[in-house]
Amino acid sequence: MSRTLADFVAATSWADVEAQSGEARRSILNFFATALGSARDPVVMAAMRTLSPFSGAATATVIGHSQPMDAMCASFLNAISANLLDFDDTHPETIIHPAAPVAAPVLALAEMHKLSGRELLTAFILGVDVECRIGAAVSPRHYARGWHITSTCGIFGAAAACAKLLGLPAEGIANAIGLAASQSAGNVENLPSAAKNVSVGNAARNGLFAALLAEQGYEAAPHAIEGPLGWARTMGDEPDIARLLDGLGKTWEIARNTYKPYPAGIVFHAVIDACLQLRERIGRRFDQIDTVTVQGSTLLLARGDRPVNNERDARVSIHHCVACGLLLGRAGVAEFARENGRPARYRAAAAEGEGGVG
């Protein structure tokens, strides 16, 4: 499986992906916007202070900052910035956020080596294809077991994309993918905390690291993903090889990518839309509402039935999303960020199990 993907990545040229370049540009533009929006967040600043003493040659831009850092540190910081607001692009089948773990190291490496836009876009499109195909091959059990799929699969996209930019042959790309399998991590329990963003940052940085190791001749097992004791079986179930390989080089996962209207988990967007519509239908007569019942998938309940103690909780809370859509009529960054000055009725509605939101 790794070798098949590696052969595909090695053989693919700009001519093969040019038709997808518009969507790739859109994804990268969205990546820059979400990263810039979080560039001065305390989480990003803390990570920057932590990494600065260990940064090597300052060759790569940290988005929103004047001081560059080495490519691995910049990859980590830009990936966590892009993912922090939960506003980044989403692959609906897998719920992977494709750009953050792949665009961050690709941009850093391309800047370091002064590579062309075509080379960058080719690698990015291929990286997105690899991460999303691997994610689809192990979904939905992989996520259901508690693995944060953007982090665990994003590293494969980062490794493949960076190996492509480095000009590695198929064998080297396969080794990079195998090396990524030894570093894949991130759990769903950490989603309402900034620890989630650490694993996304690690996917970007460690994917680059895997490619750089492979460039130096570092090897990995040939079946690191699909082997009897490989990544897929230890972190989910036997991979769906058909989903992984069908249409390889003919259909592209970047074409399936979507963009969020709200800075919240994508499973909550339908809830927000429904509440916005209900708000207008009832003429904003909130005093006539006794209860609000939300029906949805098991995943919606599992991820969103939680108290709201901070803005990260709010981004993955059914109750908060209902309150934003129904009572405020807005669900932007400010509505998920502010914790003070809310009307008492709104605070009650956003609390778990209170205010009639169930």
Side-chain angles (χ1 to χ4, degrees):
M1 189 166 94
S2 298
R3 185 54 191 256
T4 302
L5 289 174
D7 288 341
F8 160 64
V9 171
T12 302
S13 67
W14 168 251
D16 300 314
V17 303
E18 185 176 3
Q20 312 304 319
S21 62
E23 198 60 45
R25 290 186 179 95
R26 185 182 182 191
S27 180
I28 291 173
L29 177 62
N30 188 75
F31 165 82
F32 271 110
T34 53
L36 187 59
S38 299
R40 299 287 172 171
D41 187 277
V43 167
V44 178
M45 299 305 293
M48 191 171 226
R49 289 193 302 271
T50 302
L51 292 172
S52 289
F54 305 100
S55 178
T59 59
T61 298
V62 179
I63 296 171
H65 296 269
S66 59
Q67 179 60 46
M69 297 182 76
D70 69 36
M72 293 181 72
C73 288
S75 296
F76 180 89
L77 291 166
N78 289 333
I80 66 170
S81 294
N83 184 247
L84 194 63
L85 289 178
D86 213 350
F87 218 162
D88 44 345
D89 55 350
T90 305
H91 181 257
E93 180 183 356
T94 59
I95 317 299
I96 288 172
H97 302 294
V102 178
V106 162
L107 286 162
L109 193 58
E111 185 177 8
M112 179 181 178
H113 290 294
K114 298 178 172 53
L115 302 176
S116 71
R118 287 186 175 186
E119 290 172 294
L120 186 154
L121 288 171
T122 301
F124 177 72
I125 292 165
L126 289 167
V128 168
D129 218 60
V130 168
E131 67 178 327
C132 292
R133 284 178 176 275
I134 291 175
V138 295
S139 292
R141 291 292 300 277
H142 178 72
Y143 195 95
R145 287 193 176 194
W147 295 109
H148 182 226
I149 197 165
T150 296
S151 304
T152 58
C153 294
I155 190 171
F156 294 115
C162 290
K164 177 69 172 179
L165 273 184
L166 290 169
L168 301 191
E171 182 179 1
I173 297 171
N175 282 329
I177 292 171
L179 289 164
S182 288
Q183 304 177 83
S184 168
N187 64 76
V188 171
E189 191 66 28
N190 268 326
L191 289 191
S193 77
K196 174 198 79 166
N197 308 107
V198 169
S199 62
V200 176
N202 281 338
R205 176 177 57 182
N206 293 343
L208 172 57
F209 182 45
L212 292 170
L213 286 173
E215 185 184 33
Q216 296 300 318
Y218 215 107
E219 296 181 346
H223 305 292
I225 295 178
E226 74 276 20
L229 296 177
W231 176 86
R233 288 176 174 84
T234 57
M235 300 182 75
D237 289 313
E238 185 171 343
D240 180 355
I241 301 298
R243 176 60 185 90
L244 182 83
L245 300 179
D246 281 358
L248 190 64
K250 297 178 181 177
T251 61
W252 297 92
E253 300 304 316
I254 191 72
R256 307 173 193 262
N257 204 18
T258 64
Y259 302 89
K260 288 183 173 183
Y262 313 116
I266 198 167
V267 295
F268 305 102
H269 286 208
V271 174
I272 296 170
D273 285 340
C275 288
L276 289 171
Q277 291 176 17
L278 179 60
R279 173 186 172 88
E280 298 307 313
R281 186 182 303 170
I282 65 174
R284 307 183 186 184
R285 296 189 297 273
F286 308 125
D287 58 333
Q288 298 183 20
I289 298 174
D290 292 323
T291 62
V292 175
T293 300
V294 175
Q295 292 182 320
S297 68
T298 303
L299 180 63
L300 175 66
L301 181 62
R303 297 291 172 264
D305 186 16
R306 63 176 69 248
V308 178
N309 296 314
N310 55 53
E311 65 185 77
R312 292 180 179 84
D313 287 331
R315 298 184 198 286
V316 288
S317 165
I318 300 171
H319 315 285
H320 189 95
C321 289
V322 167
C324 284
L326 192 56
L327 300 182
L328 294 182
R330 299 180 303 278
V333 173
E335 284 66 50
F336 285 93
R338 66 178 179 174
E339 289 297 321
N340 300 312
R342 294 175 178 156
R345 183 176 177 84
Y346 174 52
R347 290 199 300 271
E352 181 185 25
E354 297 178 1
V357 182

